[in-house]
Amino acid sequence: MENPFDVLGLPARFALDAAELERRYRAVQRAVHPDRHAGAAPAVRRAALSGAVSASQAYRTLRDELARAEALLTVLGAPAAAPQADPGLLMEMMTLRESLEEARGDARRVASLRAEVEGARASALDALGAAFDAADLARAAALLGRLRYHRRFLDEVAALEDEGAPPPAR
């Protein structure tokens, strides 16, 4: 995949202004949109389509914090292999999952677990930004691993909450 920061003309850094990301994406899309090149030579049309696809992929990557961190690690030359998960983190997540299973049917306990992990996630995101600012790629990679566990847990919470949701009105 192309460097998503280059595709949208943004600096390669973790902290991005969401409004600027949106502006850059829209500007690139306007410039390369295939409809603007409908009457052009086939090679130009293919290049426009390729540019539109690249811009869409770059935008999806950069608006997602985890995908953005992965892309930034790649751009900065960090090793592709994920670091070994911290045994303490694994135990913490296992305990949280057990607590979540025990909380099944208790919306208040599930909400409490969600809030706990959302707080930990926010702290890890702040630390990730600081690690990138300090060019500590090993720390950034470790924090990215932690954030992946948080995301999976929060996805499990959402699925559990969806199970307990009343069916949609007809």
Side-chain angles (χ1 to χ4, degrees):
M1 182 172 135
E2 295 178 72
N3 177 337
F5 299 96
D6 286 349
V7 169
L8 297 180
L10 291 165
R13 64 175 185 239
F14 184 69
L16 290 179
D17 176 15
E20 180 64 15
L21 172 61
E22 183 76 22
R23 276 192 298 279
R24 294 292 181 102
Y25 169 65
R26 297 275 178 227
V28 170
Q29 281 291 45
R30 273 192 304 277
V32 299
H33 196 279
D35 289 349
R36 291 188 61 151
H37 305 281
V44 173
R45 289 194 316 262
R46 279 192 302 276
L49 180 59
S50 177
V53 168
S54 292
S56 292
Q57 289 174 334
Y59 178 68
R60 276 193 307 277
T61 297
L62 296 180
R63 74 177 182 189
D64 177 85
E65 295 151 332
L66 299 188
R68 182 170 62 241
E70 289 170 358
L72 186 54
L73 284 169
T74 299
V75 166
L76 296 175
Q84 200 66 12
D86 170 25
L89 172 62
L90 295 176
M91 285 301 297
E92 175 187 339
M93 295 312 298
M94 190 168 70
T95 300
L96 281 167
R97 283 196 173 91
E98 288 171 359
S99 297
L100 183 60
E101 187 57 37
E102 291 168 4
R104 186 180 291 273
D106 184 343
R108 199 180 72 211
R109 280 185 63 204
V110 170
S112 175
L113 289 167
R114 172 190 285 282
E116 178 183 341
V117 173
E118 285 174 341
R121 179 184 171 280
S123 294
L125 279 171
D126 289 344
L128 179 61
F132 276 122
D133 289 345
D136 186 349
L137 301 185
R139 176 88 176 122
L143 287 162
L144 178 57
R146 176 173 284 279
L147 286 162
R148 285 184 186 119
Y149 280 103
H150 291 160
R151 178 174 282 176
R152 279 193 295 263
F153 182 84
L154 292 171
D155 287 346
E156 290 173 26
V157 169
L160 187 63
E161 290 172 339
D162 286 346
E163 284 177 14
R170 292 187 185 230

